[in-house]
Amino acid sequence: MENSGPPADQDAGADAANSGAAPRQPGQYSFVVAASRLPVDRTQGPDGKHEWRASPGGLVTALEPVMRAAEGAWIGWPGSPGDPPEPFDTNGMHLVSIGLSAAEVRDYYEGFCNATLWPLYHDVIAQPEFHREWWDAYVRVNRRYAEAVAAEAAEGATVWVHDYQLQLVPGMVRSLRSDVRIGHFTHIPFPGYEIFAQLPWRKQIVQGLLGADLLGFQRQGDATNFLRACRRSAGLTTHGSYVWVPDTPVGDDDSRRRRLTARRSTGGRSVRAAAFPISIDTRGFGEIATRPGVQARAQEIREALGKPETVLLGVDRLDYTKGILHRLKAYGEVLSEGRLSPPAAVLVQVASPSRERVEHYKRLRDEVEGTVGRINGEFAEVGIPAVHYLHQSYPREEMAALYLAADVMLVTPLRDGMNLVAKEYVACRHDEDGALVLSEFTGAADELTGAFVVNPHDIEGLKDAIVRAATVSPAEARRRMRSMRRRVLDNDVAHWAETYLRALGQVPARASSGPPPGEHAHESAPAGPARAS
Ligand code: GDG
């Protein structure tokens, strides 16, 4: 049966999208990316005028060839409140800016995205806040993105929506443009149902995502959690990795028998949810690390640190998910037990500024800086700090030099979708030297099995892993690093994008007359209770 619009039981999120929306005239771009941010930075030219300059990160690097080959457009927020710049073209991409008012930055970006969804999806490490006006702003901004997508996408275009900031966009785009093929990729974890169920708007989020044809997640566990949320919060049936989205609404108060009958007798679409672990531009990053200037800088860093035997390094956005405090606690105890000591060992912690207006982040900064101060107060000597703490952002070349200078890389998140820092460290180590301490709660831990894998909550285990990594034999370090390098070279970000887009191309985007053949049907769990927004 022809698919004629959004999942039929889609409510508030799609209602908002549907309000008075007329079908769109197709635009001209056959590949459209929608992401929270545009891949540009605002810079000041020599004449004092502001201009927008492309800031290629991993995602842009991966998508650039696809963009060039397919007339690509990228839709996103330039990063500061106020009127957006006019659309412009750069590096073969058409960039379309979404404007956010100062109130929307507060309620949508800092509020619903970073103080509701971010902590909720990272297993409530921090307490999420639920505010109806934040949700309203989320719906409004998602609709703005969806309308921009609908205006730019050519007939039958492929649309790729990114991350937790834009979970309603797939459903909204589908309601505006049923001709396009829609993918969504969630870069952060998708939580277990017991946690997700706290969200008053859980059903709308599930239904917004189900506007897509393919939902990508970092780990299989994330996809499984999402499938369970479909069953529990929207009363839908799943079949292996597919969700069956019927054309006819399944009401919350319908009896279980009626819901099952409705599913059998109506048409609908299948949506696939699967794991596509993201990666980095391995060769690009690796190339930076081979530059003589970068290698000389790595030497210079070691000398500036007092030529220690062991340089330990942490590089993170200053975020409570990254486990910086656990790492510092463990390191402080390792020093106090004399298992490592300055000046033979030094820890460099780069904590790049992040979300500085959000309350949890202000508090975290105080705690991290207090802890660094205490460790240095106890273990440093004049001219020999135990921890070098850098609350700054650096160019990629300096990051690569730091990776080259580090004997031990500490990556200890309490929860992390993937963690690219771990992969960047490995990509830089052409010498096959260096050791990685890696939290099991990162997506990267599934792939980088040569790491010293830790549970960061287990401080004794973390201490042991730090010491083992710092004292590992060169032969064992090489064996471990070699296996990790093989993995990061095989699965780079271009491979990730190709794999995802190939799978998106294979999903039947329009009508289908039933669940895919050969899939074993699970009985759906009862629908969760209706929740007021
Ligand atoms: C989200 C998910 C997932 C950091 N400081 C500087 C700097 N960085 C760069 C790193 C790395 C990136 O930022 C951080 O990536 P992560 O993966 O570690 O973490 P999130 O920012 O939380 O990213 C995460 C990712 O999306 C991709 O899907 O892996 O799980 O949370 O690339 O190098 N880069 C520069 N200067 C800095 O000071 N140039």
Side-chain angles (χ1 to χ4, degrees), residues 187 218 317 322 352 393-394 399 416-420 424:
H187 290 252
Q218 300 278 24
R317 277 188 310 98
K322 303 292 180 184
S352 43
S393 283
Y394 294 97
M399 303 276 288
D416 212 337
M418 176 53 61
N419 195 287
L420 301 181
E424 290 166 2

Side-chain angles (χ1 to χ4, degrees), residues 128-142:
E129 290 183 50
F130 303 118
H131 299 295
R132 283 164 287 186
E133 60 276 22
W134 289 3
W135 163 252
D136 293 343
Y138 187 77
V139 174
R140 199 166 57 244
V141 172
N142 271 245

Side-chain angles (χ1 to χ4, degrees), residues 3-229:
N3 169 46
S4 55
D9 55 344
Q10 190 152 320
D11 49 17
D15 283 350
N18 285 336
S19 55
R24 294 303 161 112
Q25 291 303 313
Q28 67 180 97
Y29 296 95
S30 55
F31 182 54
V32 179
V33 170
S36 174
R37 293 290 294 271
L38 275 183
V40 286
D41 286 329
R42 195 168 192 219
T43 56
Q44 206 163 10
D47 54 358
K49 277 198 187 151
H50 286 292
E51 45 189 53
W52 298 96
R53 185 166 318 140
S55 64
L59 193 57
V60 197
T61 312
L63 297 182
E64 224 172 45
V66 193
M67 288 268 180
R68 278 183 211 282
E71 292 271 327
W74 187 303
I75 291 162
W77 177 47
S80 46
D83 288 339
E86 287 301 311
F88 61 100
D89 291 350
T90 178
N91 291 336
M93 280 186 286
H94 181 64
L95 302 191
V96 179
S97 299
I98 298 291
L100 298 185
S101 67
E104 285 168 342
V105 173
R106 184 192 63 213
D107 293 347
Y108 157 77
Y109 180 71
E110 293 168 352
F112 199 77
C113 292
N114 290 331
T116 303
L117 292 175
W118 180 269
L120 186 78
Y121 281 32
H122 288 89
D123 289 355
V124 297
I125 296 166
Q127 191 58 39
E129 290 183 50
F130 303 118
H131 299 295
R132 283 164 287 186
E133 60 276 22
W134 289 3
W135 163 252
D136 293 343
Y138 187 77
V139 174
R140 199 166 57 244
V141 172
N142 271 245
R143 189 189 309 128
R144 198 169 300 153
Y145 275 82
E147 288 177 347
V149 170
E152 301 298 336
E155 182 79 33
T158 294
V159 174
W160 196 0
V161 184
H162 287 266
D163 226 358
Y164 66 104
Q165 300 94 345
L166 302 179
Q167 294 173 105
L168 302 178
V169 170
M172 292 172 168
V173 169
R174 185 166 291 280
S175 72
L176 295 167
R177 290 287 306 276
S178 59
D179 59 296
V180 297
R181 191 178 285 263
I182 306 168
H184 183 280
F185 185 79
T186 302
H187 290 252
I188 66 175
F190 196 90
Y193 187 67
E194 287 66 24
I195 288 175
F196 182 68
Q198 291 179 22
L199 187 66
W201 308 281
R202 59 194 185 187
K203 187 172 176 186
Q204 291 94 317
I205 292 287
V206 163
Q207 289 169 333
L209 285 168
L210 287 174
D213 299 294
L214 175 64
L215 294 166
F217 296 90
Q218 300 278 24
R219 305 177 99 166
Q220 184 49 46
D222 300 317
T224 304
N225 286 344
F226 174 75
L227 291 163
R228 184 145 175 259

